[in-house]
Structure formats: C-alpha cells, structure tokens
Amino acid sequence: MAATWLGLWMYVAWLADLNLRAPALARARSLATPAIFGATLLWLWEVGVSAGGVARVILPAPSVIAERFARSTDILWIDFVQTIVKGAFSGFAIGVGAALVFAVFVDRSPFLKRGLLPVGNFVAALPIIGTAPIMVMWFGFDWPSKAAVVVAMVFFPMLVNTVQGLAASGAMQRDLMRTWSASYWQSLWHLRLPAAMPFIFNGLKICSTLAMIGAIVAEFFGSPTRGMGFRISTEVGRLQLDMVWAEITVAAIAGSAFYGLWAVLEKRVTFWHPSQRGR
C-alpha cells in the first residue's frame, strides 16, 4: 500500500514538473495534477482505514462518508442554506461592502488612519468564541446572529487591505493626476482604485474563508435545529462521525468554490499586475 501510494506521488510530481508548451495541455495538467493527488489521498485513506480496522466512530472511510452524503442530501441542503447562504454570504456582503465604503473615509482622514486601524487590528484579533455568544444574545439564535459574527470577522481585514491598496499608487502617478487638475474622486476612480485591486482581491479571498469559518463556529453557541455547526455538534454527541464528515465535505466544497470565484475574478481584473503574469 505504501509503495503504491509513493509511486502515485512520484507520478504526480513528474506530471507537475512536466514542461508543456501547448496552452490547452498546460491547463489540463493544472487540473489533473491536484485531482490525481487528491484521489491518491482518498485511496490511501480508504485502504488504511479498512486494513487497519479503524472504528467508524474514530475515522469513517471515504466510501462510508459518500454513502451518508448521498442519503442525506436533503438535510445537507437545508444546513447549507441556513449556514452558508443566509449566514456566511449575507455577513460577507455586509462586512465587505461596509469596509470598502469606510476605507475611502479612512483614506481621506489621517485621524481615522492613525486612530482606527490599530483599534481594528485589536478587534480582528478577538477570538470568535468570545464574540459569538455576545452576538447570539444581541441578535437571537437564527441566522442574523451568525451574519453579525461574520461581519465582525471580515470587516477589519478587508478594511486594512483596502486602505493599504489605496496608498499603493506611486508618488509620481499622484503628482501627474494633480498636474491634470484631477479631483480626489477622479484620482480615486482612475488611479488609486485600479492600483488597489490586488490588495482588495487579497482581502476578498481572505474574508471568503473567514466567513465560512465564522458562520459555522458561531452556530456552536446557539442556533435553531438546522445549520452546519448545529449538525456537527449534534452528530458528534451521537457518535455519527460519517454525518459530521459529510457536513465538513459540504463546507470544504463551498469554501473552495467561493475562494475560487474571487481568484478567477482577480485574474481577469488584475491581468496587468506582475503577480498574474505567466499564469
């Protein structure tokens, strides 16, 4: 088993280092490499659990998880809508939107830049296990309290990245805009906002994962009888680890897709940036 997995690993390493000139083959290789490597990990997991006689309450096999996933799609969908769509996405939209708007005011005010950003770093460092119960007491047990936790988690990371991005344009470029008698808003729209796009998308990608984590963990401190965090905590108490892993699978797929969406948009919007060249 170990020799087979090491052989497949070597094949994946050889495939990753293969120099392909055709763009279509290069794109196919970029998709095949992680897919094959992931399949080898699942195979190792399946064989290792079966050969080692590991109990299902310790670590269920991927086949058992897939079977439970197929039998529980209705429950998984309800939990996905409650946690991801209502809690994570709404909190992400509110927090990111507010951070983008507020970043413009911070950029125009040296007082806010010097006084608010250190406070923002302090608030961003607060543990979710401390803020989530407070939000549940303020906004109730349903999804608005989870969205509030997500807002608190994504607001300041997005604000810091955006403020840094708005200051990324060069001094010569800003002097040129002033030479052309451009107003602040014209300079913002034509120079500083495009220059800030790499920082903004970096913040969006960071916040996309924080939103998923915040919405799920917040449900551990109070939620209605649905939701991914509620289901995980309940099924762990019932020793139904296959259902727990099914929920983790849904969270991993949703988080990867949400992160990938911003990565694709970043590549299209910031194609001019050196970080995107050659990709």
Side-chain angles (χ1 to χ4, degrees), residues 79 82-83 86 136 140-146 218-219 221-231 233-234:
D79 293 341
Q82 173 70 18
T83 303
K86 293 182 178 180
V136 170
F141 287 92
D142 210 345
W143 66 266
S145 60
K146 298 12 173 224
E219 290 184 342
F221 301 93
S223 66
T225 57
R226 59 187 180 275
M228 301 177 72
F230 165 80
R231 196 76 55 194
S233 60
T234 302

Side-chain angles (χ1 to χ4, degrees), residues 59-103:
L59 182 64
S63 59
V64 176
I65 299 172
E67 180 184 357
R68 185 58 182 265
F69 189 101
R71 289 190 290 109
S72 306
T73 52
D74 52 344
I75 298 176
L76 295 173
W77 174 253
I78 293 173
D79 293 341
F80 171 81
V81 172
Q82 173 70 18
T83 303
I84 304 300
V85 177
K86 293 182 178 180
F89 287 173
S90 60
F92 178 87
I94 296 171
V96 167
L100 290 173
V101 173
F102 203 71

